[in-house]
Amino acid sequence: KAQKKLKKVELINLVIKDDPDTNTIHDKINEIIDLKREIMRIKYDHMLEMRGMLTSEQRLSFDMEHLSQAGKGKGHGAGGHH
């Protein structure tokens, strides 16, 4: 997450330059997207691993909790699973 924040700051710095370079900005956007992709892969691999260890009753509770969070549009903020 810290790396993603740093990349966003770098992106803003590229945008506010006197003579911003579109290609460099696009490259930085791609770096941010790559980091987000990797974070999501790690998160969902972990969720699958955890889910695989649960009993069917626990799995149902786990699934309902995650469906509820998805419906509320919760992100990685407070109370989210990592």
Side-chain angles (χ1 to χ4, degrees), residues 6 15 25-26 32 38 48-51 62 76 80-81:
L6 177 63
V15 170
I25 291 169
H26 290 174
I32 293 168
E38 186 60 27
L48 289 171
E49 183 180 340
M50 286 180 52
R51 191 175 182 274
F62 181 88
H76 296 279
H81 291 280

Side-chain angles (χ1 to χ4, degrees), residues 65-75:
E65 179 183 341
H66 285 87
L67 284 171
S68 172
Q69 287 179 5
K72 293 178 185 176
K74 266 191 172 177

Side-chain angles (χ1 to χ4, degrees), residues 14-27:
L14 290 172
V15 170
I16 63 175
K17 287 176 105 177
D18 288 337
D19 187 23
D21 177 55
T22 305
N23 288 328
T24 304
I25 291 169
H26 290 174
D27 289 344

